[in-house]
Amino acid sequence: MAGSNLTVLERQDSRYQTWSNVEKIAFRFAFVFFILLIIPVQSEWYVRLFSAETFYNILSAISGTRLNFIHIPTESGRWGAASFASWGLATLIALLVAAIWTILSRNSKRKEYNVLYYWLGVIVRYRIALGLIAFGYIKFFPMQMPFPSISNLNTEFGDYAPFKLYWQIVGVSFRYESFLGFLEIAAGTLLFFRKTIVLGAIINAGVLFNIAHANLGYDGAVHVYASYFVLLSLFLLMQYFPNIWKLFIKRETVTPYYYRPDFSGKTKKYVHLGTKATIIVLFIVVYGYFRYDRFYNQGILKEPVVPGLSGAAGHYNISSFVLNGDTLPYSPHDSLRWHDAVFERYSTLVYKVKKDIDIAVGNGTPSVGDILKDYELTGRAGGKTYLYYEIDSATHKLYLVDKNQKFSKELRKRLDKENSIGLKELYGTSTGDSINILLWSYERPDKDRVVLSGKDVNKDSITVVLDRLDESYLTGKEWYMENNKFTYN
């Protein structure tokens, strides 16, 4: 039944006339707890929202709010039980408020909280829908876990952090990643409609549970956010569990009644439908287009997009390494002579030495400037140095910067305006000196050999001869490369 008839029947059901004291107390706790989990209470979120420079940033802030009352700066605070500390604090606050609420309501004549329960359910399902759709688009357009770079394909298994290994495996299966994104978008969309709440919540709980426990197993640090959606979905399903149990387990006839406000009035109906339609269009159509535009047109991704040295992409053996005029023989323990090198298809040059280098443990943040994109070097040991470079083909020069260095917040803003940073123009300036721009010459005697010469970060003179190795990679790489090209002004 629908419309006013449904509302009349719902109001006639005695189960919605009176709640037990236990149900009232449980609801008071749940109401406060889930409001704390959903409504942003951190000032940083409001600063981000009201300082947003684009409409995309506004939608992103609305869909991406996360609970972060407290952060414990330990390994457990990022990956272990302590990462759920904010949930624990929200629980304590909810218990306290529920106790006070119960004391103040001890003489109340109220028999139920149907209206509050309904609107809390609306807030919960819209929070899931918006977050899940945003979560889904970064997979549907495979941005979250990019296809492995050549350097990562040539990284020893033991040098991978667990989360990076997991993300690389998903990145290889980019069609599967896109399917996961579609599933999340579809599940989120189902939660906009009352008749498909159960189906959407079940799909969401299943998909996000898989993500949560995979991130717990591989230290992916997305387990809290994924578990958050599982928890919200289970809350939505609570009122449906009794009838589901009766129908599917006990095989009894079920006539479900769930409270719903009366939206039959003309004004209420148009406001209700107009609000819902606006949210759906904004977050499925408009936000989806923004994500498409960022992926295919702007190149605001986790991995660089500026084209590298033409025809040079590949894994290279170091045939000769000359340091300050002395030719160094190969040694696996050498901290100066390069062991091998990689030219990526984009503007990254990677070389390996026997040297301790800090391991970045982040998941990589999409940026405009290629120099700031660090997904390719996160979660991986092995003594590899990543150099972002720009080409002056007229003079056969490369301008290079070490991507492993830490950039200040102010410098990041300056370097995050265009994909190509303009290293040639910055060379010799105070900004260029602050990021230590290197200037090397390059020669291409043949298609599989590159000769580099210049001064390294220690001001030592080097000449390096690189010979490309004949290697084949995973099936699907060529398709991926051909279908992920970008255009720039």
Side-chain angles (χ1 to χ4, degrees), residues 425-439:
E425 290 72 24
L426 291 176
Y427 186 72
T429 67
S430 58
T431 301
D433 292 340
S434 69
I435 59 177
N436 199 11
I437 299 176
L438 305 175
L439 177 59

Side-chain angles (χ1 to χ4, degrees), residues 170-423:
V170 178
V172 169
S173 308
F174 50 88
R175 294 183 182 89
Y176 170 67
E177 183 180 353
S178 292
F179 172 74
L180 283 179
F182 169 78
L183 200 59
E184 290 173 359
I185 295 168
T189 303
L190 290 173
L191 293 179
F192 285 130
F193 306 98
R194 191 167 50 88
K195 293 181 179 179
T196 54
I197 291 174
V198 174
L199 180 59
I202 290 174
I203 294 174
N204 175 43
V207 172
L208 272 297
F209 175 75
N210 179 58
I211 294 173
H213 79 72
N215 276 270
L216 281 169
Y218 288 94
D219 290 341
V222 187
H223 57 288
V224 176
Y225 196 51
S227 300
Y228 171 73
F229 290 116
V230 175
L231 180 66
L232 295 183
S233 297
L234 293 177
F235 172 75
L236 284 182
L237 291 170
M238 281 185 62
Q239 67 173 323
Y240 301 101
F241 280 146
N243 285 332
I244 291 174
W245 178 266
K246 289 179 181 179
L247 180 63
F248 292 102
I249 305 302
K250 301 179 72 174
R251 303 199 176 197
E252 296 178 358
T253 300
V254 173
T255 305
Y257 300 113
Y258 304 110
Y259 175 85
R260 176 174 177 261
D262 184 5
F263 293 120
S264 59
K266 188 174 182 180
T267 301
K268 289 182 180 179
K269 180 179 179 181
Y270 286 145
V271 170
H272 174 233
L273 294 178
T275 302
K276 176 180 288 189
T278 299
I279 293 173
I280 291 174
V281 170
L282 285 178
F283 286 92
I284 295 181
V285 180
V286 177
Y287 186 83
Y289 171 75
F290 281 141
R291 278 294 185 186
Y292 170 88
D293 184 55
R294 289 166 73 85
F295 184 77
Y296 285 104
N297 297 328
Q298 299 182 51
I300 305 177
L301 308 173
K302 289 185 175 183
E303 60 178 4
V305 294
V306 174
L309 199 59
S310 179
H315 184 206
Y316 287 79
N317 179 53
I318 308 304
S319 300
S320 174
F321 188 90
V322 180
L323 177 67
N324 294 326
D326 295 328
T327 300
L328 303 184
Y330 170 76
S331 169
H333 306 294
D334 201 323
S335 62
L336 298 175
R337 188 192 192 279
W338 296 6
H339 298 181
D340 62 8
V342 166
F343 273 103
E344 302 289 359
R345 61 185 175 86
Y346 42 76
S347 55
T348 296
L349 168 63
V350 189
Y351 67 86
K352 179 179 179 179
V353 296
K354 180 66 174 180
K355 179 181 178 182
D356 292 334
I357 296 176
D358 290 340
I359 301 175
V361 294
N363 291 328
T365 303
S367 302
V368 178
D370 275 9
I371 194 173
L372 303 176
K373 296 172 180 175
D374 59 0
Y375 176 79
E376 55 185 335
L377 58 89
T378 62
R380 209 207 15 68
K384 292 186 177 183
T385 296
Y386 283 73
L387 299 173
Y388 164 76
Y389 68 89
E390 292 176 3
I391 309 164
D392 183 350
S393 56
T395 60
H396 283 235
K397 301 290 186 182
L398 298 180
Y399 294 84
L400 310 97
V401 174
D402 185 353
K403 297 185 66 171
N404 296 72
Q405 66 182 289
K406 306 297 182 184
F407 298 99
S408 67
K409 186 176 181 180
E410 295 73 19
L411 194 54
R412 292 184 70 89
K413 285 185 178 180
R414 182 167 182 177
L415 299 176
D416 202 27
K417 297 184 182 300
E418 300 288 343
N419 297 125
S420 183
I421 308 303
L423 295 182

